[in-house]
Structure formats: C-alpha cells, structure tokens
Amino acid sequence: MKEILDAILNEETSAAEYAALKLPESYRAITLHKDEQEMFAGQESRDKDPRKSLHLDEITLPELGPGEALVAVMASAVNYNTVWSSIFEPVSTFSFLERYGRLSPEAARHDQPFHVLGSDLAGVVLRTGPGVHAWKPGDQVVAHCLSVELESADGHNDTMLDPEQRIWGFETNYGGLAEIALVKSNQLMPKPKHLTWEEAASPGLVNSTAYRQLVSRNGAGMKQGDNVLIWGASGGLGSYATQYALAGGANPICVVSSEAKAKICEAMGAEAIIDRSAEGYKFWKDEHNQDPREWKRFGGKIRELTGGEDVDIVFEHPGRETFGASVYVTRKGGTVVTCASTSGYMHQYDNRYLWMSLKRIVGSHFANYREAWEANRLIAKGKIHPTLSKTYTLAETGQASLDVHQNKHQGKVGVLCLAPEEGLGVTDHELRAKHIDAINRFRGE
Ligand SMILES: NC(=O)c1ccc[n+]([C@@H]2O[C@H](COP(=O)([O-])OP(=O)(O)OC[C@H]3O[C@@H](n4cnc5c(N)ncnc54)[C@H](OP(=O)(O)O)[C@@H]3O)[C@@H](O)[C@H]2O)c1
C-alpha cells in the first residue's frame, strides 16, 4: 500500500508507472459483519451506536471484472446511508448483497459475510477491467454511486429506471470507506482540480441527489424566481439544495434547527431562514393525529418571509414528521419532491389540499450518470462548493457516523482513507484561491 501512496503523493508518476504498480492482496476497509446483524435487536433507533457495528478490517482484494475499475481511495465521506447500514435499518444491507449475488457470477463476488460500506470517493485509478477505454491507471477521479447493469431496455432512457439499479457501497459491496474500492467504470468522473481529496470526496452522493431532485426535469425542474422550501438546509442534501436554489435564481426558504445552522445558511447567501426549534412547531398532536393549525402557523411564517407568497417547490426528505405540513404549504400547482423519509416512511397528509390545489408529489432517487456528471461539473467550475465541516480518519468512521446519526454535524463529514493528512491533492491553486472562503464555509472550529 505504501508504494501506491508514494506514487500518488509524487505528482510526476506516469500512467505506465501506475499500471506497473503491484496491487496488494488485501486492504483496510470499514465493514459490517453479517453475524452481527441482530446486535441491536429491540433497541430504539437513537440508542443504536454505529461505533459498535462498524469495524476496520483487512479485506481480500476482489477480482476485477469487465467494465470495472479498482481505485486507490484517498478520501471518502459519511452519508446517511452509512448510518442506516450501521444500525441495520430499515433492513440489514446483507439482504441487498444476497439478492445481488444471485444475479450473475460477477455479482456473486458481492455476497460476502462482510459488507464494505461507502458511497463516495476521491482517488486514483489503479487498474481497469476488460472493455474500459475511457479511463486509465493514474486518472484522478471521484465516483458517483449509481451501479447499473443495463441489460434491460427499461434503463436506457434514464439509468435510474434500470431494474438492476443499486447504490454502490450500500446495496453493493466494496464501497469507498476503504483504501481501495471496486467500481463500475461508468461511475467515474474527473476529480475537481481545485479541491483537496477530502473536499472532492464529500459532495458526490448528496450533490447528485439534490441536483436531480431540485434542478433536473426528472425532479422538480426548478426555475428562476421559484420559492423553494428546503428542509434540513444546512445538512447533507440541504446544503447543496440551498446552493442550487441560490445559483439558479430561486429563493430558498431554509429550515434548520439551531442558530449555528441558521448562520451557515445566511453565509451561503440565504435570506429567508426558519429555525424550527426556536419556533417550536409540533405538526403531530399525538402518534396518530396531526395539527393543521401548526401547518397554518408554519405557512404563515413562510408568507412573512416571502412577502405573502407560498412555495413553488418543497425539497422533502424528513418524511413522516413534516410531510403533512409540506403538502399544505405548497402553492396551488406546486410540487413536493421527496427522496427520503428520515423520520418515518408511512406518511400522512390531507389529500384535499393536494387534489383541490392541483399539487404534485414527485419521487426522486439519486441521479443518473448524466445528472451526476452535471452536478460534479458545477463543483469543478466553482459554481457549487463542497460543504465539508469536519474530517475523521478511517478508524474513526464509527464516531463520524454517530455524529450524523445524532444530527450533530453541519453539511458533510469527511473520512481520510489513504490520504495521510488533510489538504493534499490540489492541482488548480488559482481557482482554489478564488473560491477559498466558500470552500471553507462549513469548517467550524
Ligand atoms: N434517495 C436518495 O437518493 C437519497 C440521497 C441522499 C440522502 N437520502 C436520504 O435523505 C435523508 C437526509 O440525508 P442527508 O444526507 O441530507 O442527512 P443529514 O446530513 O442528516 O441532513 C438532514 C437534515 O434534515 C433535518 N431533519 C432531520 N430530521 C428532521 C425532522 N424530523 N424534521 C425536520 N427536519 C429534520 C436536519 O436538519 P435540522 O435539524 O437543521 O432541521 C438534518 O440536518 C436521509 O434519510 C438519507 O438517507 C436519500
């Protein structure tokens, strides 16, 4: 592994030298163990501690198949799917691996008694499999997390519709929270040159998701002037949604839960901010009943901030706790676009407000290669910026995941894999200097 790292740290290493590097037989990776999938049985979600289920193990290097690449991972990031995986909710990810493993001999490699997690990476291509011509050893890359087989006609208009669509490092094995990762070559994209490894690794999953959900015609198709209500506006998804709204000439109404989070939204350029904790909204009276007066109070606050206007788009992901309010506050003809249900997936809303006011609910999930490419391109051009707040070592991934599980973080939490320290990997210093304040915006203490 040392030879690989030395090659990466030496900026002069050629493609031929990379191709000649001997690959190790094993590498260090963050794993879940199949024989521990019942370890939290009976516990409340909030009590399940990712530090107990996430392990740092030595893993045998998987065989490289057609259309694939092995990538030396310099940095990765924690996503909410790392949290879901680590607490085995809503289901154990080993069920995904078993199902995938039945698909083909190549897919069978993924069905193991361990699961290497991680749906983001920035690093360097080490080897490419047969049939890969667009990428070569030595290429500096980031990877998006859409894994597709594309053997069915269904996915050829929009790859998210492939029946064998999976999220790499969540529904497949050999993810990015490791020293080496196995990806399909059509997950690769150029690493933004003005960013460090850990900054480049952090937007990936959430940036692409926010792009499709809010900007793409497959999502809400946001336009100039739209009022966009963004839940969790300083979180993983929300910190990108807020930037897309601002960069696209829309008007974000940012919902957060603390003064510190409100300050970060303000620093991004948002003017309309609602601190849901300070306002004390209680959309549910009890476990079964919502309180429409609270929806109305929330809508009144939005109107106060917009000069009397309602929202064109709600960027939804908290789910059960907020969905009734989201449907209510959307303007006539507006759109609620949802990609998740963090607080519960059985939603309840008053359908009269939907049909009588001709509103739409749109489901959105990750992004196709083209959308992920567009989202990465905007990062590379310095139009959208990483929202990295803190970086941990690979061995500390459990703690990093606990921070996200407990909602103690801002923006994105990074993980150094092979990178020995933060701050490495920048090759365009001029572009970096131009955007340095925005790049560091989420860095707290
Ligand atoms: N379908 C997809 O492709 C996709 C992609 C990415 C993520 N996701 C899912 O989307 C969800 C959010 O992911 P993320 O990376 O943005 O997570 P995150 O970094 O934890 O941010 C989510 C934010 O939502 C807010 N929030 C949480 N619970 C809430 C509640 N009950 N009511 C109102 N606001 C609440 C919190 O902000 P405040 O406390 O400041 O309000 C939190 O910071 C997760 O469930 C994740 O699995 C789905």
Short mmCIF file of all heavy atoms in Angstrom, two decimals, residues 80 84 205-206 209 231-232 235-237 256-257 261 276 317-318 321-322 339-340 342-343 365-366 407 409, ligand 1:
data_model
loop_
_atom_site.label_atom_id
_atom_site.label_comp_id
_atom_site.label_asym_id
_atom_site.label_seq_id
_atom_site.Cartn_x
_atom_site.Cartn_y
_atom_site.Cartn_z
N TYR A 80 -25.91 9.45 5.00
CA TYR A 80 -26.94 8.91 5.89
C TYR A 80 -27.12 7.42 5.65
O TYR A 80 -27.48 6.68 6.56
CB TYR A 80 -28.27 9.68 5.74
CG TYR A 80 -28.97 9.78 7.06
CD1 TYR A 80 -28.77 10.87 7.89
CD2 TYR A 80 -29.79 8.76 7.51
CE1 TYR A 80 -29.38 10.95 9.13
CE2 TYR A 80 -30.39 8.81 8.75
CZ TYR A 80 -30.19 9.91 9.56
OH TYR A 80 -30.78 9.97 10.79
N TRP A 84 -27.86 4.33 8.19
CA TRP A 84 -28.89 3.27 8.03
C TRP A 84 -28.22 1.90 8.06
O TRP A 84 -28.69 0.98 8.74
CB TRP A 84 -29.65 3.42 6.71
CG TRP A 84 -30.54 4.63 6.57
CD1 TRP A 84 -30.51 5.53 5.55
CD2 TRP A 84 -31.60 5.06 7.44
NE1 TRP A 84 -31.48 6.50 5.75
CE2 TRP A 84 -32.17 6.23 6.90
CE3 TRP A 84 -32.14 4.56 8.63
CZ2 TRP A 84 -33.22 6.91 7.49
CZ3 TRP A 84 -33.18 5.25 9.23
CH2 TRP A 84 -33.72 6.41 8.66
N LEU A 205 -22.58 11.90 -3.44
CA LEU A 205 -23.94 11.34 -3.33
C LEU A 205 -24.99 12.44 -3.12
O LEU A 205 -25.97 12.50 -3.85
CB LEU A 205 -23.98 10.31 -2.20
CG LEU A 205 -25.31 9.58 -2.02
CD1 LEU A 205 -25.08 8.19 -1.44
CD2 LEU A 205 -26.28 10.33 -1.12
N VAL A 206 -24.76 13.32 -2.16
CA VAL A 206 -25.82 14.29 -1.86
C VAL A 206 -25.95 15.37 -2.94
O VAL A 206 -27.05 15.82 -3.25
CB VAL A 206 -25.62 14.95 -0.47
CG1 VAL A 206 -26.02 14.01 0.65
CG2 VAL A 206 -24.21 15.47 -0.27
N THR A 209 -27.82 13.88 -5.85
CA THR A 209 -29.23 13.67 -5.47
C THR A 209 -29.98 15.00 -5.48
O THR A 209 -31.10 15.10 -6.00
CB THR A 209 -29.32 13.04 -4.06
OG1 THR A 209 -28.54 11.85 -4.04
CG2 THR A 209 -30.76 12.71 -3.69
N TRP A 231 -36.01 21.67 3.66
CA TRP A 231 -35.85 21.09 5.00
C TRP A 231 -34.37 20.73 5.21
O TRP A 231 -33.69 20.33 4.27
CB TRP A 231 -36.69 19.83 5.15
CG TRP A 231 -38.17 20.09 5.18
CD1 TRP A 231 -39.07 19.88 4.17
CD2 TRP A 231 -38.93 20.62 6.29
NE1 TRP A 231 -40.33 20.23 4.59
CE2 TRP A 231 -40.28 20.69 5.88
CE3 TRP A 231 -38.59 21.03 7.59
CZ2 TRP A 231 -41.29 21.16 6.71
CZ3 TRP A 231 -39.60 21.49 8.42
CH2 TRP A 231 -40.93 21.55 7.98
N GLY A 232 -33.89 20.86 6.45
CA GLY A 232 -32.50 20.48 6.77
C GLY A 232 -31.51 21.21 5.88
O GLY A 232 -30.59 20.61 5.33
N GLY A 235 -27.84 20.60 6.16
CA GLY A 235 -27.42 19.21 6.23
C GLY A 235 -26.80 18.74 4.92
O GLY A 235 -26.48 19.56 4.04
N GLY A 236 -26.64 17.43 4.78
CA GLY A 236 -26.00 16.87 3.58
C GLY A 236 -26.70 17.31 2.31
O GLY A 236 -26.15 18.05 1.48
N LEU A 237 -27.94 16.88 2.13
CA LEU A 237 -28.69 17.24 0.92
C LEU A 237 -28.98 18.73 0.87
O LEU A 237 -28.81 19.39 -0.16
CB LEU A 237 -30.04 16.51 0.91
CG LEU A 237 -30.04 15.01 0.64
CD1 LEU A 237 -31.41 14.44 0.95
CD2 LEU A 237 -29.67 14.74 -0.80
N VAL A 256 -34.02 24.99 9.50
CA VAL A 256 -32.92 24.39 10.28
C VAL A 256 -33.36 24.27 11.74
O VAL A 256 -34.46 24.71 12.10
CB VAL A 256 -31.63 25.25 10.18
CG1 VAL A 256 -31.02 25.19 8.79
CG2 VAL A 256 -31.89 26.69 10.60
N SER A 257 -32.47 23.72 12.59
CA SER A 257 -32.90 23.51 13.98
C SER A 257 -32.01 24.19 15.02
O SER A 257 -32.10 23.86 16.20
CB SER A 257 -32.98 22.01 14.28
OG SER A 257 -31.71 21.44 14.18
N LYS A 261 -26.81 26.60 12.71
CA LYS A 261 -27.19 26.13 11.37
C LYS A 261 -27.80 27.27 10.56
O LYS A 261 -27.57 27.38 9.35
CB LYS A 261 -28.16 24.95 11.49
CG LYS A 261 -27.50 23.69 12.05
CD LYS A 261 -28.45 22.50 12.09
CE LYS A 261 -27.68 21.24 12.50
NZ LYS A 261 -28.44 20.00 12.32
N ARG A 276 -36.66 25.85 13.17
CA ARG A 276 -37.83 25.07 13.58
C ARG A 276 -37.84 24.80 15.08
O ARG A 276 -38.89 24.62 15.69
CB ARG A 276 -37.95 23.77 12.77
CG ARG A 276 -36.86 22.75 12.99
CD ARG A 276 -37.03 21.52 12.11
NE ARG A 276 -35.88 20.64 12.20
CZ ARG A 276 -35.83 19.53 12.93
NH1 ARG A 276 -36.87 19.18 13.65
NH2 ARG A 276 -34.74 18.78 12.93
N HIS A 317 -37.38 15.48 2.61
CA HIS A 317 -36.67 14.25 2.98
C HIS A 317 -36.91 13.83 4.43
O HIS A 317 -36.72 12.66 4.74
CB HIS A 317 -35.16 14.34 2.68
CG HIS A 317 -34.51 15.57 3.22
ND1 HIS A 317 -33.95 15.62 4.47
CD2 HIS A 317 -34.37 16.82 2.70
CE1 HIS A 317 -33.48 16.84 4.69
NE2 HIS A 317 -33.72 17.60 3.64
N PRO A 318 -37.35 14.75 5.37
CA PRO A 318 -37.60 14.25 6.73
C PRO A 318 -38.75 13.24 6.77
O PRO A 318 -38.77 12.35 7.60
CB PRO A 318 -37.95 15.52 7.52
CG PRO A 318 -37.35 16.63 6.73
CD PRO A 318 -37.48 16.21 5.30
N GLU A 321 -42.63 13.23 9.83
CA GLU A 321 -42.85 14.37 10.73
C GLU A 321 -43.27 15.64 10.00
O GLU A 321 -43.97 16.47 10.56
CB GLU A 321 -41.58 14.65 11.54
CG GLU A 321 -41.61 13.94 12.87
CD GLU A 321 -40.47 14.29 13.77
OE1 GLU A 321 -40.07 15.47 13.84
OE2 GLU A 321 -39.95 13.35 14.39
N THR A 322 -42.81 15.82 8.77
CA THR A 322 -43.01 17.09 8.07
C THR A 322 -43.92 17.03 6.86
O THR A 322 -44.32 18.06 6.33
CB THR A 322 -41.64 17.64 7.59
OG1 THR A 322 -41.01 16.63 6.78
CG2 THR A 322 -40.74 17.96 8.77
N CYS A 339 -37.18 12.51 -1.54
CA CYS A 339 -36.19 11.45 -1.81
C CYS A 339 -35.94 10.62 -0.57
O CYS A 339 -35.02 9.80 -0.58
CB CYS A 339 -34.88 12.05 -2.30
SG CYS A 339 -33.89 12.76 -0.97
N ALA A 340 -36.68 10.83 0.50
CA ALA A 340 -36.35 10.10 1.73
C ALA A 340 -37.44 10.26 2.77
O ALA A 340 -38.39 11.06 2.60
CB ALA A 340 -35.04 10.60 2.30
N THR A 342 -36.55 10.24 6.61
CA THR A 342 -35.69 10.03 7.77
C THR A 342 -36.48 9.76 9.05
O THR A 342 -36.09 8.92 9.85
CB THR A 342 -34.78 11.27 7.98
OG1 THR A 342 -34.23 11.63 6.71
CG2 THR A 342 -33.66 10.98 8.96
N SER A 343 -37.61 10.47 9.23
CA SER A 343 -38.34 10.34 10.49
C SER A 343 -39.45 9.29 10.43
O SER A 343 -40.22 9.15 11.38
CB SER A 343 -38.94 11.70 10.90
OG SER A 343 -39.91 12.10 9.95
N HIS A 365 -34.83 9.79 -6.68
CA HIS A 365 -33.83 8.93 -6.04
C HIS A 365 -32.50 9.16 -6.75
O HIS A 365 -32.48 9.32 -7.98
CB HIS A 365 -34.30 7.46 -6.15
CG HIS A 365 -33.43 6.48 -5.44
ND1 HIS A 365 -32.86 6.71 -4.21
CD2 HIS A 365 -33.04 5.22 -5.79
CE1 HIS A 365 -32.16 5.64 -3.83
NE2 HIS A 365 -32.24 4.74 -4.78
N PHE A 366 -31.43 9.22 -6.02
CA PHE A 366 -30.09 9.53 -6.52
C PHE A 366 -30.10 10.31 -7.85
O PHE A 366 -30.73 11.36 -7.96
CB PHE A 366 -29.20 8.27 -6.59
CG PHE A 366 -27.78 8.66 -6.88
CD1 PHE A 366 -27.10 9.49 -6.01
CD2 PHE A 366 -27.13 8.24 -8.04
CE1 PHE A 366 -25.80 9.91 -6.29
CE2 PHE A 366 -25.83 8.66 -8.33
CZ PHE A 366 -25.18 9.48 -7.45
N ASN A 407 -27.40 13.95 14.46
CA ASN A 407 -27.66 15.27 13.87
C ASN A 407 -26.82 16.37 14.53
O ASN A 407 -27.27 17.48 14.72
CB ASN A 407 -29.17 15.59 13.97
CG ASN A 407 -29.59 16.73 13.05
OD1 ASN A 407 -28.85 17.11 12.12
ND2 ASN A 407 -30.74 17.32 13.31
N HIS A 409 -23.89 17.28 13.23
CA HIS A 409 -22.97 17.77 12.20
C HIS A 409 -23.58 18.92 11.41
O HIS A 409 -24.76 19.21 11.50
CB HIS A 409 -22.66 16.63 11.25
CG HIS A 409 -23.87 16.22 10.45
ND1 HIS A 409 -25.05 15.77 11.05
CD2 HIS A 409 -24.13 16.24 9.12
CE1 HIS A 409 -25.95 15.52 10.11
NE2 HIS A 409 -25.41 15.80 8.92
N1 LIG B 1 -32.91 8.83 -2.25
C1 LIG B 1 -31.67 9.26 -2.30
O1 LIG B 1 -31.03 9.15 -3.33
C2 LIG B 1 -31.06 9.90 -1.09
C3 LIG B 1 -29.82 10.52 -1.23
C4 LIG B 1 -29.26 11.15 -0.12
C5 LIG B 1 -29.90 11.08 1.10
N2 LIG B 1 -31.07 10.42 1.20
C6 LIG B 1 -31.78 10.38 2.48
O2 LIG B 1 -32.14 11.71 2.81
C7 LIG B 1 -32.13 11.89 4.22
C8 LIG B 1 -31.27 13.10 4.57
O3 LIG B 1 -29.94 12.86 4.14
P1 LIG B 1 -28.80 13.94 4.44
O4 LIG B 1 -27.53 13.42 3.91
O5 LIG B 1 -29.26 15.28 4.00
O6 LIG B 1 -28.79 13.87 6.04
P2 LIG B 1 -28.31 14.96 7.08
O7 LIG B 1 -26.97 15.47 6.71
O8 LIG B 1 -28.51 14.34 8.42
O9 LIG B 1 -29.31 16.17 6.90
C9 LIG B 1 -30.71 16.02 7.10
C10 LIG B 1 -31.26 17.22 7.83
O10 LIG B 1 -32.68 17.08 7.89
C11 LIG B 1 -33.15 17.73 9.05
N3 LIG B 1 -34.07 16.84 9.76
C12 LIG B 1 -33.82 15.62 10.29
N4 LIG B 1 -34.89 15.14 10.90
C13 LIG B 1 -35.87 16.07 10.75
C14 LIG B 1 -37.22 16.16 11.18
N5 LIG B 1 -37.80 15.18 11.87
N6 LIG B 1 -37.94 17.29 10.86
C15 LIG B 1 -37.33 18.28 10.16
N7 LIG B 1 -36.05 18.25 9.75
C16 LIG B 1 -35.35 17.16 10.04
C17 LIG B 1 -31.96 18.04 9.95
O11 LIG B 1 -31.73 19.44 9.88
P3 LIG B 1 -32.18 20.45 11.04
O12 LIG B 1 -32.07 19.66 12.33
O13 LIG B 1 -31.22 21.58 10.96
O14 LIG B 1 -33.58 20.88 10.73
C18 LIG B 1 -30.81 17.32 9.27
O15 LIG B 1 -29.62 18.03 9.38
C19 LIG B 1 -31.65 10.58 4.81
O16 LIG B 1 -32.76 9.81 5.19
C20 LIG B 1 -30.93 9.91 3.65
O17 LIG B 1 -30.88 8.50 3.77
C21 LIG B 1 -31.69 9.85 0.13
#
